[in-house]
Amino acid sequence: MHSRLVIGTSVGWLLLIMAIILVAVRSGDQLAGQTNRAHLEYEAELIARHIEEAVEVRTDALQRLAERVSQAPYQAPGVAETLLQENDGLMAFFDALVVISADGEVLADRPALPGRRGLDVTEREYFRHIQHVRRPYVSEPFTGAASDLPLVMIGVPILDEGRFLGMVGGVVSVEDGSFFAGLRRIRIGHSGFAALATASGLVLSHPNQELIMQPVPSAATHPELDLALSGWQGAAEGRLLDGTRALHAYRQVWSANWVVGVYLPRTQMMGPVEAFLRQQQWVGVITVLLMLPLLWLGLKLLLRPLHRLERQIARVAQGTARRVDLRTGMRELQQVADTFNSLERQREQAKSMLQDRQAFLDAVLDSSPTGLFICNLGGQIVYMNPALKALTGHDLTVYRDGDIFDYLHVDELNDVQDLWRHTLESGRPFSRQMRYHAANGQTLWLEVKVSRVDDGEAPLGYVGTVKDITDSRQREALQRWEAEHDPLTGLLNRRGFERRLEDALADWKKAGTPSALLMFDLDHFKPINDQGGHALGDEMLRRIAQVLAWEVRNSDHVARQGGDEFAVLLPSCSLKQAQRLAEQLRQAISEIYVEHEDSTYHVTMSMGLTAFIESDEDIETVLARADEASYRAKAAGRNRIVDAVERSG
C-alpha cells in the first residue's frame, strides 16, 4: 500500500505536469496542422495549374499541326512524313508524333519506330473517342503495340468542314518521358512528395517507379483518394501506402481527367512539436524523481499502522482466512475491519445467487431458435446461443480473442460503434440494421436489438437478439432503384432527380455550395418516331443517355424527365463551368444519329441553364426557371442554350 501511494502520488504530479504541457502542445499541433494544410493545398494547386497549362500548350500545338495536315494531301506517299519533319520543333513537347488516317491506320511517325507505321488503331480508346467526339482528347494510359511501353496519347482530330479525316497525336511516355519526370522529382520538405493518377484509378507519376501504371489503393484504406477520383478537391488526413499517417491534398486536372495528389508525412509536419513535447516530458520526470525520496519517507511513517490490516485482508483474499480478525486500539481501523467483514459475507451470498441465476439463463437461451447473446457492462460478449453461432459461423472464442466489430461491413463501422458506445454510456436500447460478414464469406443483413438488464437499480449487463433480414433488404434495394430510374435509359426518373435536386438546394441554403441545372428537350425528335417507329425513337433516346453519361462528371446526376425531355444536375459547379459543359453537351448530341431505310436522322437540343440564387426557396422555382429558359431557346431557333441566370441578372 505504501508503495502504491508513493507511485500514485508521483504519477499524479507527473500527470499534472504533462497536462499543462499537452495543452500547450495541442495548441501548437492545431496551428501546425492548419499551416501545413494551407501550404499543401497551395502546392497541389500550383502543380495542377502547371499540368493544365502544359496540356493546353501541347493541345494547341497539335491543333495547328492538324490544320496544316488538313490542307495538304497528307495521305499521298511521303506527304505526312514531310509535314512531321517540318514541325520537328514539336518533339520538344512529345516523345513521338503520329498522323493517323480516318480508317485508323498510322500513316507517319516521328521518330520512326519499327512496327508503328501501318498499325491499325481503330480499336484504341483514344481513336474511337476522337472519331466520335471530334475534339482534342487526352487518352487513358495504354501499352504501345510497337514500343511495348506505357504511353499517353494527346490527340486532335483532322477535320474538313466538320468531316472527320483522321487525327494527329502526340505520344508521351509514362515511365521515361520528360512530361512526368519533373513531377516525380518534386519534394515537399524532406519526405513529402507529389503523385499523379487518372480519374479511372491508374498511377501515372510517383517517386516509387514500381507503382507507375498500377491501380490506386482501394477506398477502404484511402477514402479521401477515392473522393478525389470522383471530382473532390481539398485536403484531409489519411495514410500512405506503408501505413504512415500523412496530410493529403488533391486538385483536379480537368483537361486531362487526372488527379494531382500531394502528401506530407505527419512525422515531418509535427517534428518540432514532438521534439518540444519530449523535452518537457523529461523535465516532468526529473521533477518527480527528485520528490520521490521525501514522499516515500513521509508516507512510510503515516501508513505503518495500516500494514497489519493490509496483511489481514490479503489472507482473506487468498482464502486462508474467512474474516479479518484485527485487535487494535485504533477505533478507525477496527471500524474498517468490521465493514470489510460485512461486505465479504454479502459478496459470498450474491455470488451464490448469481451462479444459480446464470445456470437457469443458460438453459433458456440454449433452447431459443432466435440468435441471442449476452454482453457484460463493458460491452464484451460473454455468451452466445447455438442459433447465433449457426447464423454467423463464429463461436464465442472469436469474440473473446478479437473485437466485436471485426466482422462489420466497413460502411457500417463508424455509425454502429458510435451507437453502441452511446448504449454502453447511457443504458438506452440499441437497435440497428447492419451488414455483417459471416464466417463463410457471405455478407448478411442483420437486425440487432440490445437492451440493458437491471437488478433493481443496479445494471447487470446486456441481452441482444439477432435476426437475419438479408432477403427483405435485397428486395427493398431493388424496389428503391426501380422507383427512381427510367427503365428505358437507366437514367434517373423525375422522382429520383427531384430528390437529388432537393439535397443540392439544401446544401446551397446551408453552406452556400453552388450547383447548376440544365434542362432541355430534343428538336426534330417527332419525325424519328413517326417515320422510323417507336423502336427507332427508343434507340435514339438510349444513345443520347449514353453520350450524356460520357460527357458529365461522376458526381453529376442525369435524368430523363419524360418523353424527349432531359435534365442534368451539376453539384458543386460554378455557372462558368456549367456553361462550358452545356456547350459540350449541345455539340455532342448534335453529332448523334440513327439510320432507318437509307435515311439518317439527327436531333439537336434546346437547353435552359440556371443556377441557385438567393431567392430560391424550393425546387419548383428552380425547375420552372430552367424550363422557361429552354422554351426561349426553342423559340429563338432551337439548337441553342439560354442562360436564365444571366437573363434575370
Side-chain angles (χ1 to χ4, degrees), residues 338-356:
D338 293 342
T339 301
F340 176 82
N341 289 333
S342 176
L343 291 174
E344 182 63 19
R345 288 193 299 271
Q346 295 177 14
R347 188 185 70 83
E348 289 294 334
Q349 294 172 358
K351 180 179 178 181
S352 177
M353 292 177 62
L354 185 60
Q355 289 174 342
D356 293 341

Side-chain angles (χ1 to χ4, degrees), residues 176-196:
D176 303 324
S178 60
F179 188 88
F180 299 105
L183 182 61
R184 288 195 291 270
R185 291 193 295 269
I186 292 177
R187 289 294 181 271
I188 312 298
H190 297 294
S191 52
F193 63 93
L196 183 67

Side-chain angles (χ1 to χ4, degrees), residues 266-320:
R266 184 174 176 82
T267 52
Q268 176 179 327
M269 182 174 67
M270 301 308 300
V273 177
E274 292 174 353
F276 173 76
L277 175 60
R278 287 192 296 270
Q279 179 184 13
Q280 298 306 311
Q281 285 175 337
W282 279 112
V283 172
V285 170
I286 292 172
T287 302
V288 172
L289 290 177
L290 292 176
M291 293 175 56
L292 279 177
L294 294 176
L295 183 62
W296 183 86
L297 180 61
L299 288 176
K300 185 175 180 61
L301 295 175
L302 289 173
L303 297 178
R304 184 176 295 172
L306 296 176
H307 289 336
R308 283 194 302 122
L309 177 60
E310 180 183 0
R311 291 191 291 271
Q312 290 274 342
I313 293 175
R315 285 197 293 270
V316 173
Q318 295 168 0
T320 58

Side-chain angles (χ1 to χ4, degrees), residues 309 326-339:
L309 177 60
L326 184 66
R327 296 183 178 89
T328 178
M330 295 182 65
R331 182 169 57 85
E332 293 84 357
L333 288 181
Q334 189 62 52
Q335 289 176 348
V336 171
D338 293 342
T339 301

Side-chain angles (χ1 to χ4, degrees), residues 398-411:
V398 172
Y399 297 108
R400 284 178 175 169
D401 297 339
D403 196 311
I404 189 174
F405 302 106
D406 285 347
Y407 302 98
L408 273 175
H409 191 281
V410 64
D411 293 339

Side-chain angles (χ1 to χ4, degrees), residues 378-399:
Q380 183 181 21
I381 295 181
V382 296
Y383 170 83
M384 56 189 298
N385 71 343
L388 184 54
K389 294 178 185 177
L391 175 61
T392 65
H394 303 300
D395 57 22
L396 186 58
T397 58
V398 172
Y399 297 108

